[in-house]
């Protein structure tokens, strides 16, 4: 809900991102949120004047003198001299104005004999009208009008202009527009005190001209100079010999493609300077003249770029994603986001080639190399290439990034161009490349979710996940031949799953098989079933292309803490994990670890499978196991022990609600977890067991493989009780056999007895 005070800023543009989508990001600490915070704080300060915290009365001098009540109605001030008194006090807000000064100003230096008494009468009448945060108090040697600065339009004008000085261009435009919108006519228009009116008008007029100049300068820098031309023309009429003002008007008309008018303004000013001052235009104004003159002699950029690469001929499926993209073609920004090897580029090219005919002014394409071994493409470099493709001569391409971006938006203004930005690294890399016109469409692909772009630019994310099994098998059929796949349909389906149904992995596997035409699909399945070599088999050594390389590029983007968590996940025996187990593995709190998990999700190294629950694709799981040894052995051992103790501790607590029959050991673990799920009911405990059943079995196998008989025995006891409770006899027997072996190693007679009963063996062997 907007603050009530927002409505007091007439003309304030609350849709900056829609109007200026390509403005540079606001610096932290000086952005719009900071500015609004300051204004809201100021508003709260003004409400301190009110006993009930209601909306205060406002004073307006930028036009006729008015007192505006909270409901928008105008309070009646009365006598004309009373307006002069109010204006004199308001112009010195919160300062003491002497009685002599007031008498001199209100009566224009010719006060009547009883002027002091008349002044007291006017003040008394004003006090009856004022209220709601505005008060006149007697302070020797005169009076003082007390009110918050935000309640007087003159001081609000000053404050908005002051805030704009340190704001970003787009925020400054809003602030300066808001300041200028406070004007309702000549200042103090209905005040009879001529000298007061003349003095106030002089300095306020200068403030207005300065503000218009700053607003037009910011608009010009944003590539929206046309929006400031009208105000600039008014300001030049007020100050026709102020050359910087005229220079900016000439350049703004030029940016708006109004060259003839720009030249006319220059020649009129040159004539006036010569006639009235006997001088020639200064260097700045002459430079602006030559910019317009040179541009008039050169042809306008009219190139129609056609940069789209050829699309992949083996493209399969993605009907849902294509349909979603079709909804975003009109001036929207769409982001194809998904894991490495999912086929984002192929999808982008399929859609772009399908709709390119709708973009009459061409198509721009650039691989931003956001996840390549080479350095990513800098926005300035990308803009330079795009500008040249759009017909801008090298000599006219600015060196400054913001100027390049502004020129790029200007060139695209009114044109209908499709911009495809492949393999983007971050929103910072993409934002300067966004057109400023709604006629253009932008398609971005990235392994990152680009949350900033979605939040600030309204970009629509289109997730690109693994192919369906049918589509994955179709990819194999196209690459290997229909006969080979049809001869071994089951093997083909298994091969698709071993490749995680990722187009990149499928094509690499098919390329390997195609180089051995006599081999069977089953033989390739057997080769890839070896988890120790699957990643290397899904690589093409000659080109360096492959799943391992692609995952490495994503892994290298992680911060140190997130990379450590990713390595430790290689020690987790299952395919999914919840936030509590992940925190135990990392030796951190859930809160500390949450950002790291989100970083992994953002780069599609994990995916959310439920509330605070995360899964890994099989190839990602193999990659985590491959990079896990980068973590010191002692750290990995400690992480495994924390994880096993987490499962033991939580399973023990859950069992208290699941079953109360039979013997259950008291599970005291070496590394009790700091945090674990709240399991306060039998239903919650049973749900946890079902969610973690596979992980518990993997943990049991891991403890057994590491020779940790105590943990093996205890985990087996927990699982045996759970399977007994749910009536899964086969699973109960399997767990009991493993637990019995561990119990015998430990010499734990009671555990041996329990396990032996379950499998029908003599406990003592």
């Amino acid at each position: 809900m907007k603050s009530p005070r927002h409505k007091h800023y007439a003309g304030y543009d609350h849709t900056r991102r829609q109007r200026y989508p390509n403005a540079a990001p606001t610096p932290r600490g000086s952005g719009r949120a900071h500015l609004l915070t300051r204004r809201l704080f100021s508003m709260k300060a003004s409400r301190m004047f009110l006993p009930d915290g209601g909306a205060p009365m406002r004073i307006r001098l930028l036009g006729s003198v008015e007192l505006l009540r909270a409901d928008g109605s105008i309070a009646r001030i009365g006598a004309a001299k009373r307006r002069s008194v109010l204006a004199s006090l308001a112009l010195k807000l919160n300062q003491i104005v002497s009685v002599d000064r007031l008498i001199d100003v209100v009566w224009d230096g010719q006060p009547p004999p009883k002027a002091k008494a008349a002044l007291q009468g006017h003040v008394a009448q004003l006090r009856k009208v004022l209220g709601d945060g505005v008060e006149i108090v007697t302070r020797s040697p005169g009076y003082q009008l007390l009110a918050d600065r935000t309640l007087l339009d003159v001081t609000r004008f000053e404050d908005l202009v002051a805030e704009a000085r340190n704001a970003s261009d787009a925020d400054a435009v809003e602030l300066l527009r808001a300041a200028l919108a406070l004007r309702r006519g000549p200042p103090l228009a209905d005040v009879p005190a001529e000298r007061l009116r003349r003095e106030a008008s002089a300095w306020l007029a200068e403030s207005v001209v300065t503000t218009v100049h700053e607003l037009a300068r910011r608009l010009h820098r944003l590539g929206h100079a046309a929006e400031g031309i009208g105000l600039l023309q008014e300001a030049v009429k007020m100050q026709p010999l102020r050359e910087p003002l005229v220079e900016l008007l000439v350049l703004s008309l030029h940016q708006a493609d109004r060259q003839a008018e720009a030249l006319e303004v220059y020649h009129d000013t040159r004539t006036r300077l010569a006639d009235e001052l006997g001088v020639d235009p200064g260097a700045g104004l002459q430079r602006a003249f030559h910019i317009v003159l040179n541009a008039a002699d050169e042809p306008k950029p009219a190139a129609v770029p056609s940069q789209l690469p050829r699309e992949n001929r083996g493209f399969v499926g993605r009907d849902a994603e294509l349909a979603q993209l079709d909804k975003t073609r009109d001036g929207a920004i769409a982001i194809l986001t998904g894991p490495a090897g999912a086929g984002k580029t192929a999808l982008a090219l399929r859609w772009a080639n399908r709709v390119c005919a709708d973009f009459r002014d061409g198509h721009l394409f650039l691989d931003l190399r956001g996840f390549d071994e080479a350095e990513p493409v800098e926005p300035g470099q990308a803009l330079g290439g795009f500008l040249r493709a759009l017909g801008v001569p090298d000599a006219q391409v600015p060196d400054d990034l913001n100027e390049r971006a502004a020129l790029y938006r200007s060139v695209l203004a009114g044109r209908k161009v499709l911009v495809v930005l492949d393999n983007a690294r971050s929103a910072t890399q993409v934002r300067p490349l966004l057109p400023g016109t709604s006629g253009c469409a932008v398609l971005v692909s990235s392994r990152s979710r680009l949350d900033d772009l979605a939040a600030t630019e309204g970009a629509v994310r289109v997730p690109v996940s693994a192919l369906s099994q049918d589509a994955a098998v179709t990819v194999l059929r196209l690459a290997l031949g229909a006969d080979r796949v049809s001869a071994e349909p089951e093997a083909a389906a298994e091969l698709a799953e071993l490749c995680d149904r990722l187009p990149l992995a499928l094509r690499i596997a098919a390329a390997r098989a195609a180089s051995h035409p006599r081999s069977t699909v089953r033989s390739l399945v057997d080769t890839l079933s070896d988890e120790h070599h699957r990643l290397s088999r899904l690589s093409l050594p000659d080109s360096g292309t492959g799943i391992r390389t692609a995952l490495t590029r994503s892994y290298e983007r992680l911060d140190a803490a997130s990379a450590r968590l990713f390595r430790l996940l290689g020690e987790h025996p299952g395919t999914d994990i919840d936030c509590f187990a992940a925190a135990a593995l990392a030796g951190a709190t859930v809160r500390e670890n949450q950002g790291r998990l989100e970083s992994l999700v953002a780069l599609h190294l994990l995916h959310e499978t439920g509330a605070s629950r995360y899964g890994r694709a099989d190839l990602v799981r193999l990659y985590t196991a491959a990079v896990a040894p980068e973590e010191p052995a002692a750290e990995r051992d400690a992480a495994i022990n924390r994880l096993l103790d987490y499962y033991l501790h939580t399973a023990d607590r859950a069992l208290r609600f699941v079953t109360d029959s039979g013997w259950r050991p008291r599970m005291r673990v070496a590394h009790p977890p700091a945090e674990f799920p709240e399991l306060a009911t039998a239903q919650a405990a049973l749900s946890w067991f079902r969610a973690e059943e596979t992980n518990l079995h993997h943990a049991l196998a891991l403890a057994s493989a590491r020779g940790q008989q105590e943990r093996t025995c205890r985990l087996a006891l927990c699982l045996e009780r759970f399977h007994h409770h749910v009536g899964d006899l086969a699973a109960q027997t399997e767990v009991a056999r493993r637990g019995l072996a561990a119990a015998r190693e430990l010499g734990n007679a009671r555990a041996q007895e329990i396990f032996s009963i379950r499998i029908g063996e003599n406990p003592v062997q």
Side-chain angles (χ1 to χ4, degrees):
M1 180 176 180
K2 292 182 179 178
S3 164
R5 184 163 175 259
H6 287 193
K7 63 185 178 183
H8 298 166
Y9 286 85
Y12 197 93
D13 188 350
H14 294 283
T15 58
R16 176 178 70 89
R17 282 298 176 191
Q18 283 70 34
R19 293 176 58 82
Y20 310 110
N22 299 295
T26 304
R28 181 173 295 178
S30 64
R32 179 164 57 175
H34 176 66
L35 298 175
L36 291 179
T37 300
R38 289 175 57 188
R39 293 191 209 117
L40 289 172
F41 178 81
S42 179
M43 180 184 71
K44 291 178 181 177
S46 72
R47 290 184 176 178
M48 292 173 63
F49 287 91
L50 308 181
D52 60 354
M57 174 176 278
R58 288 179 285 145
I59 309 168
R60 304 205 291 187
L61 305 183
L62 298 176
S64 57
V65 177
E66 293 179 349
L67 288 172
L68 203 63
R69 296 190 182 97
D71 61 3
S73 62
I74 297 175
R76 186 175 182 277
I77 298 175
K81 295 292 187 188
R82 202 166 299 151
R83 297 179 186 278
S84 299
V85 174
L86 177 60
S88 299
L89 291 170
L91 287 170
K92 297 291 183 180
L93 187 67
N94 297 321
Q95 301 178 44
I96 299 172
V97 183
S98 69
V99 169
D100 291 343
R101 166 68 180 169
L102 286 170
I103 290 173
D104 183 63
V105 169
V106 171
W107 279 275
D108 277 330
Q110 298 179 341
K114 297 184 179 180
K116 188 171 183 179
L119 175 64
Q120 290 173 341
H122 287 311
V123 170
Q125 292 301 316
L126 284 172
R127 283 171 170 163
K128 293 179 181 179
V129 179
L130 297 176
D132 293 348
V134 184
E135 180 183 6
I136 297 177
V137 296
T138 304
R139 294 280 189 272
S140 180
Y143 300 96
Q144 184 179 18
L145 179 64
L146 296 177
D148 187 83
R149 288 178 62 84
T150 61
L151 303 182
L152 175 64
D153 56 4
V154 173
T155 47
R156 277 166 49 217
F157 182 101
E158 295 171 345
D159 291 346
L160 286 166
V161 172
E163 289 182 15
R165 293 190 190 109
N166 297 319
S168 67
D169 286 341
D171 282 337
V173 165
E174 293 182 18
L175 292 165
L176 296 171
R177 284 187 188 278
L180 292 170
L182 293 171
R183 299 176 301 158
R184 295 170 291 111
L188 281 60
D190 56 352
V191 168
E194 182 180 348
R195 190 173 68 185
L196 175 66
R197 190 174 64 251
R198 187 173 61 251
E199 290 174 354
S201 295
W203 67 264
L204 283 172
E206 176 60 25
S207 296
V208 167
V209 170
T210 303
T211 302
V212 167
H213 191 181
E214 180 62 8
L215 171 61
R217 186 179 71 85
R218 300 280 192 144
L219 284 168
H220 185 273
R221 204 154 67 182
L222 286 167
H224 293 267
E227 298 178 21
I229 288 175
L231 288 170
L232 269 177
Q233 289 171 328
E234 290 181 23
V236 168
K237 286 181 182 178
M238 296 169 65
Q239 298 283 352
L241 299 179
R242 184 174 291 186
E243 289 191 48
L245 203 62
V246 178
E247 176 189 342
L248 185 55
L249 175 57
V250 169
L251 292 174
S252 296
L253 288 165
H254 167 59
Q255 190 184 96
D257 288 331
R258 294 161 63 175
Q259 276 75 18
E261 292 177 69
L263 293 172
E264 183 180 354
V265 169
Y266 170 81
H267 289 304
D268 288 346
T269 304
R270 184 183 64 175
T271 301
R272 187 185 289 268
L273 286 168
D275 292 344
E276 297 184 23
L277 302 179
V279 298
D280 292 325
L285 185 52
Q286 289 191 40
R287 185 168 53 249
F289 167 69
H290 287 295
I291 288 173
V292 178
L293 201 62
N294 292 337
D297 294 336
E298 294 173 359
K300 287 187 178 182
V304 178
S306 183
Q307 297 184 339
L308 290 179
R310 185 178 63 179
E311 63 176 302
N312 192 314
R313 295 182 63 185
F315 186 86
V316 172
R318 304 299 189 192
D319 292 341
E321 291 87 346
L322 289 167
Q324 193 171 352
L325 287 173
D326 284 339
K327 297 176 182 177
T328 65
R329 73 170 67 184
D330 295 327
I333 303 167
I335 305 171
L336 296 176
T337 177
K344 299 178 292 296
T345 300
L347 174 57
L349 292 177
R350 165 54 64 97
W351 183 78
N353 278 282
R354 196 168 76 172
V355 302
C356 64
D358 296 340
F359 295 88
R360 62 177 183 274
D361 297 310
H363 351 102
L364 297 168
F365 176 90
L366 185 61
D367 180 358
L368 294 173
R369 300 200 305 265
F371 291 86
D372 286 5
E373 187 174 6
E375 286 297 312
V377 177
E378 294 293 333
Q381 178 186 351
L383 284 168
F386 280 172
L387 286 170
R388 284 185 284 274
L390 290 164
V392 178
D394 284 344
Q396 294 185 16
V397 176
D399 293 330
D400 180 73
L401 173 62
N402 290 331
E403 291 180 6
R404 283 192 181 192
L407 178 58
Y408 170 69
R409 293 191 295 272
S410 297
V411 171
L412 289 180
R415 302 181 73 179
K416 195 172 179 64
V417 174
L418 173 62
V419 182
V420 181
L421 305 172
D422 188 36
N423 197 13
R425 182 167 189 162
S426 65
T428 302
Q429 186 187 28
V430 170
R431 191 172 284 113
L433 309 180
L434 300 178
T437 176
S438 61
C440 298
V442 181
L443 179 58
V444 184
S445 75
S446 179
R447 295 181 201 175
S448 173
R449 294 185 309 192
L450 300 183
D451 291 337
D452 288 354
L453 210 59
T456 61
E457 310 297 344
V460 177
R461 278 195 291 251
V462 179
V464 183
S465 56
L467 294 168
S468 67
Q469 187 175 83
D470 287 345
V473 171
T474 301
V475 171
L476 293 174
R477 183 177 291 109
L478 291 172
L480 288 175
D483 292 342
R484 291 180 72 177
V485 172
S486 298
E488 299 178 272
E490 292 182 2
E494 290 179 45
L495 179 58
E497 295 303 321
L498 288 171
C499 293
D500 276 350
R501 291 179 273 117
L502 295 175
L504 176 62
L506 290 164
R507 290 196 174 94
I508 291 175
R512 283 188 171 276
S515 63
H516 302 282
R518 295 185 179 180
S519 66
T520 63
V521 178
R522 173 59 61 188
S523 64
L524 183 57
V525 169
D526 293 340
T527 300
L528 292 181
S529 295
D530 182 352
E531 292 191 346
H532 296 291
H533 298 97
R534 189 184 308 168
L535 288 174
S536 61
R537 296 286 183 181
L538 291 175
S539 299
L540 296 175
D542 293 341
S543 64
T545 303
I547 295 297
R548 181 190 289 273
T549 301
L551 290 172
T552 297
R553 299 290 172 257
S554 299
Y555 169 59
E556 290 172 344
R557 282 289 321 279
L558 296 170
D559 61 86
S562 300
R564 174 179 176 270
L565 174 61
F566 184 71
R567 291 191 295 272
L568 291 178
L569 284 171
E571 304 297 344
H572 189 277
T575 57
D576 72 333
I577 190 171
D578 71 358
C579 62
F580 298 101
L585 191 67
T589 65
V590 170
R591 184 173 182 178
E592 290 170 342
N593 216 41
Q594 190 59 42
R596 302 160 193 170
L597 288 167
E598 289 175 0
S599 294
L600 298 179
V601 170
L603 288 173
H604 296 90
L605 295 171
L606 288 182
H607 57 271
E608 294 180 84
T609 58
S612 299
R613 197 165 193 88
Y614 307 88
R616 291 176 289 175
D618 212 33
L619 293 175
V620 175
R621 177 183 62 82
L622 296 179
Y623 184 75
T624 57
V627 298
E630 295 177 16
E631 195 70 13
E635 290 290 327
R636 290 154 54 202
D637 287 341
I640 292 170
N641 290 337
R642 288 193 300 267
L643 180 70
L644 292 174
D645 283 353
Y646 162 77
Y647 283 127
L648 262 174
H649 180 86
T650 312
D652 173 59
R653 294 180 62 85
L655 274 179
R656 299 175 190 179
F657 296 96
V658 171
T659 178
D660 56 1
S661 62
W663 177 82
R664 221 177 8 89
R666 300 185 67 82
M667 299 296 184
R668 294 177 181 175
V669 296
H671 307 285
E675 297 174 85
F676 41 83
E678 184 178 350
L679 306 174
T681 65
Q683 183 61 43
L686 192 59
S687 295
W688 181 85
F689 258 118
R690 292 191 184 282
E692 298 290 354
E693 181 179 355
T694 301
N695 282 332
L696 289 170
H697 277 277
H698 283 306
L700 177 63
L702 178 61
S704 178
R706 292 172 62 85
Q708 297 182 1
Q709 306 301 346
E710 184 70 27
R711 288 187 172 100
T712 303
C713 183
R714 292 180 174 188
L715 278 168
L717 284 168
C718 290
L719 279 168
E720 187 274 333
R721 285 286 82 200
F722 164 68
H723 290 309
H724 174 75
H725 179 76
V726 298
D728 190 342
L729 182 60
Q732 183 182 9
T733 302
E734 179 188 347
V735 166
R737 291 186 185 281
R738 178 163 277 170
L740 180 58
R744 285 172 175 163
E745 286 280 339
L746 294 169
N748 187 329
R750 186 69 179 111
Q752 290 181 59
E753 181 182 352
I754 292 174
F755 291 132
S756 297
I757 291 172
R758 298 306 176 200
I759 61 178
E761 289 187 7
N762 185 346
V764 180
Q765 288 188 10

